[in-house]
Amino acid sequence: MIKIPAIEVSHFEAYDNYCFLHTTDNKYLITHTLKSVEEKLPQHHFLRVHRSHIINIKHIDFLDESNVYVNSHKISVGKSHREELLKMINLL
């Protein structure tokens, strides 16, 4: 087991019944679904932006029409999640 502070997590990516946890330097496979991970995360730092991705809003580099870039990773933003993402960014 490895303890990783939430602030170091840049995003989570769904992978079947598991998910990948991404930090700036590493990628870890964890044995939880993205949904179960989402339920445990602090909502003021993390946001689901696609059915397969949860991002840490503190790690956003920039965004364009349909993507958000988190630590140089291009992540698609679902249409149903875009409005919530824009609201959170405006609150920063």
Side-chain angles (χ1 to χ4, degrees), residues 34-65:
L34 197 62
K35 183 178 180 176
S36 70
V37 168
E38 181 179 26
E39 292 169 354
K40 298 173 188 169
L41 292 170
Q43 294 181 348
H44 57 278
H45 290 293
F46 291 90
L47 178 68
R48 185 181 283 251
V49 294
H50 188 271
R51 64 184 169 90
S52 300
H53 294 280
I54 297 172
I55 63 166
N56 183 338
I57 60 171
K58 302 288 185 188
H59 287 265
I60 294 174
D61 295 328
F62 64 95
L63 59 114
D64 62 23
E65 290 291 318

Side-chain angles (χ1 to χ4, degrees), residues 21-87:
L21 178 154
H22 293 262
T23 64
T24 305
D25 302 321
N26 294 306
K27 175 174 146 178
Y28 303 95
L29 181 64
I30 57 177
T31 58
H32 296 282
T33 63
L34 197 62
K35 183 178 180 176
S36 70
V37 168
E38 181 179 26
E39 292 169 354
K40 298 173 188 169
L41 292 170
Q43 294 181 348
H44 57 278
H45 290 293
F46 291 90
L47 178 68
R48 185 181 283 251
V49 294
H50 188 271
R51 64 184 169 90
S52 300
H53 294 280
I54 297 172
I55 63 166
N56 183 338
I57 60 171
K58 302 288 185 188
H59 287 265
I60 294 174
D61 295 328
F62 64 95
L63 59 114
D64 62 23
E65 290 291 318
S66 58
N67 302 298
V68 62
Y69 294 81
V70 177
N71 288 344
S72 302
H73 292 273
K74 179 180 175 182
I75 299 172
S76 295
V77 177
K79 291 178 185 177
S80 62
H81 300 284
R82 184 156 184 80
E83 186 176 328
E84 186 66 26
L85 174 61
L86 295 174
K87 283 180 188 176

Side-chain angles (χ1 to χ4, degrees), residues 1-5 8:
M1 292 183 82
I2 300 171
K3 183 176 181 178
I4 301 171
E8 292 182 18

